[in-house]
Every structure is written in structure tokens, then in C-alpha cells.
Amino acid sequence: QVQLVESGGGSVQSGGSLRLSCAASGDPYTRDYMAWFRQAPGTEREGVAAIDWAGRTVYTDTVKGRFTISRDNAKNTLYLQMNSLKPEDTAMYYCAADRVGYLLLPRYNYWGQGTQVTVSS
């Protein structure tokens, strides 16, 4: 079992930055692969960025060059640094974990409750 708790969301103006954190606990082997997803009202959950246990990363095209995913295995924490935020980045952001590498597909077995990010123009 894995427990995931996100934090760091908030309201910012376009062009601003936020850093999301996801504190993880439980079986470390079920956290080999972790990812950030987001979901705006009326839309499907979208994969934003993913990272494996070795630090290899993948991003969706719309955030490349603006967002950076990282993890601190010693602190059991996943991060998402978001720069140059745009109104279209507004969504609930979720972290996810699994022992299988689903990359940006929403098939992970473990999910947090989410943290809201709102970007105003």
C-alpha cells in the first residue's frame, strides 16, 4: 500500500511559478514509477510528467520546457516545478505511483487526493 499527499497548489497570475510536492509513504517498491496528472472540470485526466526510480523523465508536449518533475527518494517526496504558468494549466493536480511504468497513462494504482492550481490571466 502507498499513501500519497499533495501540497503546494494555489492561485497565481499568468507567468508565475508554483512547486507541487507529493509526500509518499508505504511500500517503497510500489513507488518505483511516479507521475503527475491534472484534470480540469469536464475533461479527462491528463498525464503531465512521469519519473522512474532512476530519475528518467517524460513530459506531455504542452509543458515541456516549463515544468520539471523530480523526486527525492531519501525524503520520499515527488515534486513538480511549474514555471511560466498559463491559464490553461488551471486544474486539479494529482500525483500517482505504481511498481509498473505506465508513463503518462492514468493506469496507476495509487493516487493522492489532489491539489488545486488556478492560473489567472
Side-chain angles (χ1 to χ4, degrees):
Q1 289 291 334
V2 174
Q3 292 77 44
L4 304 170
V5 179
E6 302 96 335
S7 61
S11 296
V12 296
Q13 291 191 328
S14 182
S17 297
L18 284 173
R19 188 175 83 154
L20 306 184
S21 298
C22 174
S25 60
D27 184 353
Y29 294 105
T30 56
R31 291 184 264 130
D32 282 349
Y33 299 88
M34 300 188 75
W36 287 100
F37 287 77
R38 64 186 179 187
Q39 189 169 21
T43 69
E44 294 185 352
R45 192 164 293 190
E46 173 193 26
V48 175
I51 188 169
D52 69 7
W53 56 272
R56 291 170 291 221
T57 60
V58 62
Y59 298 89
T60 191
D61 286 345
T62 56
V63 308
K64 284 180 181 177
R66 300 189 298 123
F67 291 10
T68 302
I69 188 171
S70 62
R71 62 192 296 170
D72 186 333
N73 292 330
K75 295 183 178 179
N76 296 318
T77 303
L78 178 72
Y79 302 100
L80 185 67
Q81 177 67 45
M82 304 186 296
N83 299 327
S84 302
L85 282 161
K86 305 175 181 180
E88 51 263 44
D89 294 318
T90 295
M92 185 72 77
Y93 282 71
Y94 300 89
C95 70
D98 210 308
R99 64 170 67 244
V100 178
Y102 293 112
L103 299 178
L104 301 181
L105 297 175
R107 298 177 182 173
Y108 292 75
N109 279 304
Y110 302 101
W111 295 84
Q113 294 300 306
T115 185
Q116 178 68 38
V117 171
T118 302
V119 184
S120 58
S121 58

